[in-house]
Amino acid sequence: MTALAPTAAPARAAAPPARNRRALLRRRALPYLLLAPALITFGVFKAYPIVASLLLSLTTGSGAATRNAGLSNYRRLLDDPLFWTALGNTAKILVVQVPLMLALALLLAVGINSALVRWRAVWRLGVFMPTVTGLVATGVMFAFLLNTEHGAVNSLLGQLGLPAVDWLGDPFWARMAIVLLLTWHYTGYNAVIYLAGLQGIPRELYEAAMVDGAGPLRRFFSITLPALRPVLLFTVVLSTIGTLQLFDEPYVLTRGGPDNATLTVSMYLYDNGFRYFDFGYASAIAYALTLIVSVLGAIQMRLMGERE
Amino acid sequence: MSHLSRRDLLRYSGAGLVALAAGSALSACSGTGSGGQVAGGDAATGTVTVWSWTTAAEALRGVVPAFEKENPGIKVDVQDVGNPAIWDKITVGMAAGGQGLADVLHIGCDYLPGYLEKFPGGLADLSALGADQYKDKFAQGLWPVVTGKDGKAYALPWEVNAFGFFYRQDMFEKAGIDPNTFETWDDVLAVGDRFKAANPGISLIGINKPATPSPDLDFLQALMQQQGAFYFDLKGDITLSSPAAVHALTVEKRLNDAGLIADTAGDAVWRTMLRDGKIAAGPLAAWAVHYLETKLPDQKGAWRLTRPPAATAGGKRTAIVNSTHLAVSASSPRRVAAWKFVEYALTRPESANSMFKAGGVFPALTAAHSDPMYTAPNAFYGGQPVLKTFVDLLGAGADATNYSGDFARALKLASDAQTKVFLKGADPAAVLQDAAKQLAQQTGRTLR
């Protein structure tokens, strides 16, 4: 007992730091533990495919016949007229659709936010409803509406004395049909984001401006728009990325036709992977698209971001 | 997000390059990458799952009870996966080395060679299980489709759709034309104006010109196949711009320029136009026998069938528009049981004909064609024994078609070429040359 005493004393003395260390470790580990489910899910379902497809883009063939191909898929991409057609179509749809949709969404948001409007919840619901509609159902519905012979849209145009439009058979109008479908589907989503942004603008600013004699237009351009800047940036970047990855709408409505007028990069990617079994090439297209999205995103951030 | 300076950009792209380099190093280490193939087994009992679609699946289910009775120990579960969903499912399974595939797969001629070429070892070698004894039992021209480059059979033919010429007897009679006298498409063109004068507002045939929502190339392909040509020759070289191909597209162009081809772009538009009596004929495959009868009951007695005009004077009338097949996955743990079911369903005239009756699947098995139903008069076709026309056409012997592993890509490019001719009046030779060049660039195949 006495022999043990001297050793026991220092042990007792050393105990508090050890417990402290464990506690510290636990405190440090806890956040990671809490993050683990998200990190592991991200790793398995996002990081792994991202890395795997990069590796895949450097191969050719599939299954047991997979071979290294170096950068040949990327070289092939540069010489592939269909890839450039797809990129051009995506760009054409992008420059028309994104500004149109966002302007419309802003208009709707300002309208719904107006003090004069009654039953606001009903309007909000109505505007947001298309967003929750299934894409395939939407595509089928639009195919009916836009049918050249029997569609409701052409019949309406006819009643207004306008000529019938070959919506899905004419290259230009087929692209417009995609623009129409996209705008119908996503305007409400952006309008709701703007609405939230509008409600965050302090009322005093408007009151002060009114005291200073600013009219509604002046108030919109000098208060509303600058205050919405971060929200605007967010929607522009998000919509641009969304449109660059455009797949469902042309897949359901036009299958990329007529004459490849609505073939998008994502559709071409899908065709190469799942129709031509050329997964290496499809991955190379995916990485080319990623590069384009990153560059465009960076440019938009630069142009529209907060000035320091 | 603040300032993205030039230096930052360089730094980012530098990081990208490092990542790329690391990526290529990694892939160099991993060699064949995700090439792990699930090893199957040769069990002769168990539950055999089958993937098929709609009416074919329904028809296949019909032969299951008799098969299970004769083969105790084997149960069959036929699943209707749906078409085109089945292709994505099979592709994903093949890419995963055979994981999750059904034991028996129903595969069309447009996908089979692709699976064989791109996923070697994905389908079971049926020659080893005794398939070669049936080599001559199927309509001529089909065996090469199910044979791999190694000469082994990887599927058995089930459905065959020969090319025929369906027409509205009443409309042609009004113009005083008898389609039975058509030898080539020139004969059709010669009476085009007479037909249109007698039938204002009615087109001879309908084609989905802009290819929305999907390519409409059966007619063009049949015109090529009648000449023994296709997108690829039997060696796999590209023949998309061959004289035969240019001739086929030129026939279409001339028919179009003569105002004989209606545009049926859009879902179900072709069917609507048929129903409304806007289309007088169909260069269609055997499936149309059943289709017209069920979709257009009001036009009973108005339709007839004859041999299709030849693409060239004195040329062949026969073409096989498409065929479908049953294959066994190499990853199946019960390949022998699966093969037994395939053999039972496809090589016995009774099962083949019961499936034809149930699902309109025209059997490739020639022995099935001696059943009396193939010579029976059909009231919808004014009492004409229409099936006999197809049996005779198949009997005349079709040339083998090499769809190749790059059929889907060739189809896309050929469809683009056809669309350009229809919508923009392009020159057939020029657009086919472009298409063939692109096909060569994308596939690395030799251009003939």
Short mmCIF file of all heavy atoms in Angstrom, two decimals, chain A residues 21 62 88 105 157 165 175 192 209 248 272 278 302:
data_model
loop_
_atom_site.label_atom_id
_atom_site.label_comp_id
_atom_site.label_asym_id
_atom_site.label_seq_id
_atom_site.Cartn_x
_atom_site.Cartn_y
_atom_site.Cartn_z
N ARG A 21 -7.32 16.29 -22.31
CA ARG A 21 -6.97 15.99 -23.70
C ARG A 21 -8.12 15.25 -24.39
O ARG A 21 -8.49 15.53 -25.51
CB ARG A 21 -5.69 15.15 -23.74
CG ARG A 21 -4.69 15.76 -24.70
CD ARG A 21 -3.39 15.04 -24.89
NE ARG A 21 -3.12 13.83 -24.21
CZ ARG A 21 -2.26 13.74 -23.18
NH1 ARG A 21 -1.64 14.80 -22.72
NH2 ARG A 21 -2.01 12.59 -22.63
N SER A 62 -15.61 0.09 -73.29
CA SER A 62 -16.34 0.01 -72.04
C SER A 62 -16.27 -1.40 -71.51
O SER A 62 -15.83 -2.31 -72.21
CB SER A 62 -17.80 0.42 -72.26
OG SER A 62 -18.32 -0.24 -73.36
N GLY A 88 -23.60 25.50 -79.62
CA GLY A 88 -24.23 26.69 -80.21
C GLY A 88 -25.70 26.77 -79.85
O GLY A 88 -26.20 27.83 -79.46
N ALA A 105 -39.83 37.09 -64.18
CA ALA A 105 -39.93 36.70 -62.78
C ALA A 105 -39.90 37.93 -61.88
O ALA A 105 -40.66 38.05 -60.92
CB ALA A 105 -38.78 35.76 -62.42
N LEU A 157 -53.45 31.38 -82.12
CA LEU A 157 -52.80 32.28 -83.09
C LEU A 157 -53.72 32.51 -84.28
O LEU A 157 -53.84 33.62 -84.79
CB LEU A 157 -51.48 31.67 -83.56
CG LEU A 157 -50.32 31.65 -82.55
CD1 LEU A 157 -49.10 30.98 -83.16
CD2 LEU A 157 -49.97 33.06 -82.11
N VAL A 165 -47.79 28.25 -86.68
CA VAL A 165 -46.35 28.09 -86.53
C VAL A 165 -46.03 26.61 -86.43
O VAL A 165 -46.71 25.87 -85.73
CB VAL A 165 -45.86 28.81 -85.25
CG1 VAL A 165 -44.42 28.46 -84.94
CG2 VAL A 165 -46.04 30.31 -85.39
N ARG A 175 -36.56 25.74 -81.17
CA ARG A 175 -35.78 26.33 -80.07
C ARG A 175 -36.67 27.24 -79.23
O ARG A 175 -36.58 27.25 -78.01
CB ARG A 175 -34.60 27.13 -80.64
CG ARG A 175 -33.37 26.27 -80.86
CD ARG A 175 -32.13 27.12 -81.03
NE ARG A 175 -32.13 27.82 -82.31
CZ ARG A 175 -31.60 27.32 -83.42
NH1 ARG A 175 -31.03 26.14 -83.41
NH2 ARG A 175 -31.63 27.99 -84.53
N VAL A 192 -40.40 33.57 -56.83
CA VAL A 192 -40.51 33.38 -55.38
C VAL A 192 -39.22 33.80 -54.69
O VAL A 192 -39.25 34.41 -53.61
CB VAL A 192 -40.87 31.90 -55.08
CG1 VAL A 192 -40.68 31.59 -53.62
CG2 VAL A 192 -42.30 31.62 -55.50
N ALA A 209 -37.50 57.82 -49.75
CA ALA A 209 -37.44 58.20 -51.17
C ALA A 209 -38.71 58.94 -51.57
O ALA A 209 -38.67 59.92 -52.32
CB ALA A 209 -37.24 56.96 -52.02
N ASP A 248 -33.75 17.67 -69.90
CA ASP A 248 -35.10 17.09 -69.85
C ASP A 248 -36.04 17.65 -70.91
O ASP A 248 -36.74 16.89 -71.58
CB ASP A 248 -35.74 17.32 -68.48
CG ASP A 248 -34.81 17.01 -67.34
OD1 ASP A 248 -33.70 17.60 -67.32
OD2 ASP A 248 -35.17 16.21 -66.47
N ASN A 272 -24.19 9.85 -76.28
CA ASN A 272 -22.90 9.17 -76.38
C ASN A 272 -22.74 8.09 -75.32
O ASN A 272 -22.19 7.04 -75.59
CB ASN A 272 -21.76 10.18 -76.30
CG ASN A 272 -21.42 10.74 -77.65
OD1 ASN A 272 -20.85 10.06 -78.49
ND2 ASN A 272 -21.86 11.97 -77.91
N ASP A 278 -20.44 5.02 -75.46
CA ASP A 278 -19.11 5.61 -75.52
C ASP A 278 -18.91 6.44 -74.26
O ASP A 278 -18.91 7.67 -74.30
CB ASP A 278 -19.02 6.49 -76.78
CG ASP A 278 -17.59 6.64 -77.26
OD1 ASP A 278 -16.69 6.38 -76.45
OD2 ASP A 278 -17.40 7.03 -78.42
N ARG A 302 -17.84 38.05 -61.44
CA ARG A 302 -16.95 39.20 -61.56
C ARG A 302 -17.75 40.44 -61.99
O ARG A 302 -17.57 41.52 -61.46
CB ARG A 302 -15.89 38.88 -62.61
CG ARG A 302 -15.00 40.00 -63.02
CD ARG A 302 -13.62 39.83 -62.39
NE ARG A 302 -12.70 40.83 -62.92
CZ ARG A 302 -12.66 42.08 -62.46
NH1 ARG A 302 -13.46 42.47 -61.51
NH2 ARG A 302 -11.79 42.94 -62.98
#
